[in-house]
Amino acid sequence: KKLLIVMLAVLATACSTTKLTENEGASKDAVKYTQDFGKVEVTFTDEGNWTEIRATATASVPISDDAGLEQAMNIATMRAKRNIVEFINTDLKSGKTLDTITDSLAKNVSEDDQASKQKAATIATKVSEKIAVEANGILKGVYITDRKISGDGKTVAVTVKVDKRSMRAANQLRMAMGK
């Protein structure tokens, strides 16, 4: 039984450090748009499917040793995850996200092109709805993609990401563990 737990832990670690391809989850001919929502970046296709959500956060290193560095990395990771939670719970429900995505998609559309503006609004609605529906799985599929230490060693930055593949991996791991 201990061997199984160790193997699952190794699998989880391997999944969390695996580099995913940028086009994972998107069709080859899909146009990907990236929008910054404060500290959260959402990438989606022109069909209205989100492909990844990424967030970055920083933290100060409290003391200049390995324990202080690790503590700062943990704090920055929790802040980045919190940014995703706040995005889903606040921005997505407020309509701010719909407006931002719609404006981004329609920025090169002329004022009298109502069909293109409507298509942009439809894509924005689809992206928002799909993220809201999948919110629980999104939060479980978050993993760290980058850790940086400032040149002076006083600040760290951590980037976390979630995509369809990491959500599936997290779900499979939970099922294997019987939860």
Side-chain angles (χ1 to χ4, degrees):
K1 203 169 192 179
K2 286 183 181 181
L3 179 62
L4 176 63
I5 292 172
V6 170
M7 288 175 58
L8 288 174
V10 170
L11 175 64
T13 305
C15 289
S16 67
T17 58
T18 302
K19 183 85 171 153
L20 299 176
T21 60
E22 188 172 332
N23 290 329
E24 184 70 35
S27 65
K28 290 180 180 148
D29 59 345
V31 177
K32 292 177 74 173
Y33 303 92
T34 302
Q35 249 334 290
D36 290 321
F37 301 97
K39 297 178 182 177
V40 176
E41 183 179 279
V42 178
T43 305
F44 53 94
T45 67
D46 59 349
E47 289 91 25
N49 296 310
W50 70 273
T51 56
E52 76 177 36
I53 301 173
R54 183 183 302 262
T56 302
T58 60
S60 298
V61 179
I63 51 177
S64 59
D65 67 2
D66 289 343
L69 187 60
E70 188 61 31
Q71 180 182 1
M73 289 287 185
N74 289 337
I75 291 170
T77 301
M78 287 188 288
R79 286 179 179 168
K81 289 178 180 180
R82 182 195 66 206
N83 289 341
I84 292 175
V85 170
E86 287 179 2
F87 164 74
I88 291 170
N89 289 335
T90 307
D91 292 346
L92 209 55
K93 292 178 183 173
S94 72
K96 176 181 170 183
T97 301
L98 278 174
D99 295 341
T100 304
I101 294 173
T102 302
D103 291 346
S104 173
L105 292 172
K107 69 181 171 191
N108 295 324
V109 174
S110 66
E111 287 297 317
D112 58 343
D113 190 354
Q114 292 302 319
S116 292
K117 287 184 178 184
Q118 184 58 44
K119 181 179 179 185
T122 301
I123 292 170
T125 301
K126 284 181 182 179
V127 169
S128 296
E129 287 174 353
K130 288 178 181 180
I131 291 172
V133 166
E134 298 171 351
N136 192 31
I138 287 172
L139 298 177
K140 291 177 182 170
V142 173
Y143 63 98
I144 298 170
T145 60
D146 192 27
R147 292 178 172 193
K148 294 181 183 176
I149 304 169
S150 64
D152 61 4
K154 294 183 179 185
T155 307
V156 298
V158 175
T159 301
V160 297
K161 173 181 164 181
V162 62
D163 53 32
K164 303 291 183 171
R165 186 172 166 186
S166 68
M167 286 173 53
R168 283 191 305 271
N171 188 39
Q172 289 171 348
L173 185 59
R174 274 191 310 282
M175 287 173 43
M177 295 179 75
K179 294 188 178 198

